[in-house]
Amino acid sequence: MHQLCIVLDFGGQYNQLIARRVRECGVYCEILRYDTPIEEIRAKSPLGIIFTGGPNSVYDEASPHIGREIFDLGIPVLGICYGAQLMAYTLGGEVSPCEHSEYGMTETFYDRSDVLFGGIALPESATSWMSHTDYVSRLPEGFHITAHTDNCPAAAFCDPARKLYAVQFHPEVNHTFAGRGMIDSFLKNVCGFHGDWVMDDFIARTVGSLRERIGDKRVILGLSGGVDSSVAAALLSRAVGRQLTCVFVDQGLMRKDEGDFVEQTFTKLFDMHFVRVNCKDKFLEALRGVTDPEQKRRIIGTEFYNVFWDEIRRQGTDGFFAQGTIYPDRIESGRGNQAGHGSTAVIKTHHNMVKMPEDIQFAGVIEPLGELFKDEVRRVGEMLGLPYDLVWRQPFPGPGLGVRIIGEITEEKIHILQEADAVLREEIRLSGIDKELKQYFAVLPDVHTVGVMGDHRTYDHLIAIRAVTTDDFMTADWAHIPYEVLARVSNRLCNEVEHVNRVVYDITSKPPGTVEWE
Ligand code: XMP
């Protein structure tokens, strides 16, 4: 359907980022393992191939290698970091250990007559992001150097006749000045991509294929109120309207008024059957007296699926089951492509992918967003008319406020935390810093402290403010919220939220802390 770029994964940490950048250039791409058979690659007729970086050295026997034939397909190749070294090594060049390994922002000098670096707003020298301990010390025949740094003579090199390009630095990373322009140049000017991957087409095409596949059958979707399942619901609603049933389990651990907001959105704005299962009491009962974090998580998870699958059985399983799985979920769980390969990165069971009980059998499983990255999912959501607050919702853990109430969970504590969290979110939004923070929320540590209110001594709850900035949630920095904002939040929490008499600010980064407190 679309022109295809293949991102060959050699295990680098930025492989998904490379694929996202390619998509941002309007080019459809798939990530395949480095050892995908060459016939399979040829059969997909890609217009371009990108080798990702990798944690290895080409001289390490265990490191991922590739046969020469890939360079004889006549398909342009761009090698990045390890991918660049591998290209040089495989074609007869030489790779050596660096005298001074380069890491981080590095002044780089470019030959702007090169197709990758000309025609974009790139000065003769600019910073690039480097991360390597080996370097290409001799080029293969037919190649010439197109960029260098003080420590790396071949920071970029190419053989234009064979359309082979290589960069030692990471153009996909924001720190590389004009890096996106370089990727775009490779795709458009070397490979000849037209940029035919646009979300308008995606919606029309997906709605068409969903209608065809579903026919007059029913579809059931588990809706969490998170971005992915919400966009999947909106898309399915557009495709099959009332043949869609969304099951929304409200365990009472969502943020203030969130359950009602989700219900309103999907019953007022979209055509579908919407089933809300309210089971707060059941959850509170199961959680009574439980304080151990792991046990709390287990109970919430188990109860959730019990309630969910019971409702699914009630609704009937005569049609399809849909879920909001997105492309990174599939990559991370080892279902990255049609061939059944996963990425070389850690393969794990992803929390978004639901394991179905054996007695439940549907005609099939539908994952309408299975090809998309998160940014693309958000764009589709906006185009389908989902409210801003849903599309740009911050990540919210499956166990909900359950992991933000330390110790036993009670109705009263949920209420205090919901109110406190709503105040915090409102102030952050009003101050305009919400876009800079990846996640911000209130925590109820179940600590009572002494305070004074008028003439009275109080002994009430402490609220902790947690706010982080991060790229990928693997590491995170505590966010530097301006003092004035903190002052307003603190003031309002103590004045407006009953049973709160003290506010503290969590200034722990991850690691050593995690984002959530439990
Ligand atoms: P941590 O606390 O591990 O959180 O630093 C990293 C990110 O993951 C979210 N998180 C969860 N998401 N189910 C989820 O769907 C969970 O059990 C869960 N625990 C943490 C957390 O909110 C943060 O965005």
Side-chain angles (χ1 to χ4, degrees), residues 297 351 395-399 404 439 473 510 514-516:
R297 269 178 182 270
H351 62 260
F396 189 62
R404 297 179 182 169
Q439 217 172 349
F473 291 97
K510 173 183 178 176
T514 49
V515 175
E516 303 290 346

Side-chain angles (χ1 to χ4, degrees), residues 8 50 81 87 164 207 215 298 302 318 321 431 468 486 488 512:
L8 269 196
I50 298 180
C81 194
M87 182 189 287
L164 303 180
V207 163
R298 225 174 7 252
T302 311
D318 49 321
F321 182 71
S431 71
V468 295
L486 289 173
R488 274 198 302 276

Side-chain angles (χ1 to χ4, degrees), residues 209-219 239-240 243 320:
S209 63
L210 284 171
R211 281 185 186 145
E212 200 170 303
R213 176 154 182 224
I214 295 166
D216 59 2
K217 288 203 165 62
R218 292 174 59 211
V219 188
V240 297
Q243 286 164 253
F320 290 93

